[in-house]
Amino acid sequence: MLDKDRINEILSEIENMKAKNAEELEVLRIKFLSKKGAITELMGEFRLVPPEMKKEMGMRLNELKTRAQDRLAELKAEICLSDEGQEELDLTRTSYPVPLGTRHPLTIVKNEIIDIFSRLGFTLADGPEVEDDWHVFSSMNFAEDHPARDMQDTFFVESHPDIILRTHTSSVQSRVMEVQQPPIRVICPGRVYRNEAISYRAHCFFHQVEGLYVDQNVSFTDLKQVLLLFAQEMFGNDTKIRLRPSYFPFTEPSAEMDISCNICGGKGCAFCKGTGWVEILGCGMVDPNVLELNGIDSSKYSGYAFGMGIERITNLKYQVKDLRMFSENDVRFLREFEAAN
Ligand code: PHE
């Protein structure tokens, strides 16, 4: 009979119930909550309750049912924790939650660079990191005894003086031109190596993105416009660029590009050493010698090239103070870029 006493009776039974294993727990579930269980039975009698009692009884019944479900869940948890409950465990589950990894900041920035240039019609190209002297230096117009070879501290393979670790991604320019005639419009991201003492601001390897565009009537104006677009996409629409004359054996004229410091907005801060400008890349018009050395008619075609360091761009975006962080794989550092994933 559905009344307060009956409800309290079942409630105290529920509070006192115990189960040592899954079978005992199932017996209890059937006793109270199955189709023929005590609580289900009381629920069935609810329609006989006089109208003035319905509200209170309804509430008590619901509380009873919820309490029974909670109590069974508690018992189940206890069983799972105890030894007898072992067979209850799902052994196909991983033993602990596996946290998702995050993309490396250099990968995030590399992908962003690729994305910007692919919207401008550039496709991807790559080449080997262990290269020969021809692709890294000779085909890039470094004369045999030219002091320019000393500009970059090269790692040599001892037994094969001709085989080196590439010091810049410009080697991929040559790799592309030797198999493709203009129009050529590629970017080449990749790792490069230089024999430098490791410190917070230098490492023996780092990453670059090379750009190469060769076609008829390519001009310095085209180069400048593409680089301005890149800088504004990467660092915001207010970003300004300036080009300073420079020297590379493979470009003529050559320039280095600065952007207005995006940390202080060009006012001058510690990062830009008070100048308001920071250097981000080298560029220039492809030297006609380079075109000829790589099988492209320099009387018909001209081109521009640029090369930037991914670490440098990442530093500007995220202010990483110590370059070594990029290669230490400290998860606390890597997790900081979760939001940028
Ligand atoms: N290869 C040059 C460097 O590593 C960068 C560069 C690329 C300059 C292409 C001009 C054109 O410093």
Side-chain angles (χ1 to χ4, degrees):
M1 186 37 205
L2 172 54
D3 58 22
K4 279 188 212 163
D5 289 346
R6 181 72 184 124
I7 289 182
N8 285 336
E9 201 179 299
I10 297 182
L11 198 57
S12 87
E13 261 185 77
I14 283 168
E15 295 300 346
N16 292 320
M17 65 188 181
K18 289 192 174 55
K20 283 204 289 294
N21 52 40
E23 287 84 61
E24 289 185 22
L25 187 69
E26 181 62 6
V27 170
L28 290 172
R29 190 194 65 79
I30 291 171
K31 180 170 175 197
F32 293 106
L33 289 172
S34 70
K35 264 197 184 146
K36 293 209 171 120
I39 296 175
T40 321
E41 224 160 72
L42 282 190
M43 293 276 193
E45 288 170 26
F46 181 68
R47 64 194 157 80
L48 305 173
V49 173
E52 70 277 12
M53 300 280 288
K54 269 205 151 69
K55 190 173 172 205
E56 193 196 340
M57 279 313 220
M59 245 168 59
R60 282 174 187 270
L61 254 182
N62 277 333
E63 276 170 16
L64 177 67
K65 188 173 177 190
T66 315
R67 185 60 198 134
Q69 287 165 337
D70 289 352
R71 185 75 191 115
L72 286 169
E74 281 167 28
L75 287 175
K76 186 171 180 189
E78 280 169 26
I79 290 169
C80 285
L81 286 176
S82 71
D83 284 343
E84 298 98 313
Q86 283 274 313
E87 70 269 20
E88 272 291 284
L89 293 176
D90 177 357
L91 296 178
T92 62
R93 263 184 65 176
T94 40
S95 53
Y96 50 87
V98 182
L100 269 189
T102 53
R103 275 200 187 88
H104 194 282
L106 293 178
T107 308
I108 296 172
V109 170
K110 179 186 78 177
N111 288 345
E112 211 173 326
I113 298 172
I114 293 174
D115 187 57
I116 293 170
F117 282 106
S118 59
R119 277 184 266 138
L120 295 169
F122 287 77
T123 54
L124 280 178
D126 68 1
E129 291 174 20
V130 182
E131 258 294 9
D132 49 32
D133 180 275
W134 168 258
H135 290 97
V136 178
F137 293 128
S138 302
S139 71
M140 286 289 108
N141 199 36
F142 286 75
E144 204 56 55
D145 299 316
H146 199 289
R149 284 186 193 236
D150 293 339
M151 272 168 62
Q152 304 173 344
D153 307 281
T154 312
F155 280 117
F156 293 89
V157 174
E158 234 172 318
S159 50
H160 296 86
D162 186 46
I163 306 294
I164 58 180
L165 298 183
R166 68 179 178 195
T167 56
H168 56 182
T169 43
S170 299
S171 56
V172 187
Q173 288 192 34
S174 167
R175 289 266 166 201
V176 172
M177 288 187 275
E178 70 188 4
V179 295
Q180 196 189 325
Q181 283 296 307
I184 292 171
R185 194 173 352 195
V186 291
I187 50 166
C188 333
R191 182 175 281 185
V192 301
Y193 301 82
R194 289 183 196 179
N195 190 2
E196 304 225 23
I198 296 170
S199 75
Y200 74 96
R201 46 191 285 260
H203 211 296
C204 57
F205 65 79
F206 58 98
H207 301 79
Q208 289 188 327
V209 177
E210 191 84 8
L212 174 68
Y213 180 32
V214 187
D215 204 347
Q216 281 172 350
N217 303 317
V218 177
S219 72
F220 201 91
T221 324
D222 299 328
L223 170 63
K224 197 174 167 190
Q225 187 58 35
V226 156
L227 293 180
L228 175 63
L229 259 163
F230 165 72
Q232 293 184 334
E233 285 290 300
M234 197 74 198
F235 297 104
N237 284 338
D238 299 334
T239 311
K240 295 184 183 53
I241 64 168
R242 77 174 182 191
L243 292 160
R244 283 176 291 103
S246 184
Y247 171 75
F248 300 101
F250 35 93
T251 46
E252 181 58 38
S254 304
E256 265 159 333
M257 184 173 100
D258 299 340
I259 60 165
S260 49
C261 178
N262 79 319
I263 291 161
C264 62
K267 286 190 203 71
C269 67
F271 192 86
C272 59
K273 302 198 183 77
T275 63
W277 295 95
V278 281
E279 185 195 320
I280 65 160
L281 56 81
C283 60
M285 299 307 291
V286 179
D287 192 303
N289 281 344
V290 172
L291 295 176
E292 293 295 334
L293 281 165
N294 291 283
I296 289 174
D297 184 350
S298 65
S299 64
K300 207 167 150 200
Y301 296 109
S302 55
Y304 63 68
F306 55 84
M308 65 185 93
I310 304 182
E311 277 80 353
R312 178 117 191 112
I313 308 270
T314 309
N315 270 345
L316 264 167
K317 281 210 93 145
Y318 298 111
Q319 281 112 64
V320 179
K321 297 220 169 60
D322 188 336
L323 257 183
R324 290 168 292 198
M325 295 304 290
F326 288 129
S327 47
E328 270 166 13
N329 277 337
D330 183 332
V331 285
R332 291 166 300 180
F333 169 72
L334 297 175
R335 286 229 166 275
E336 289 185 37
F337 299 89
E338 226 157 11
N341 271 259

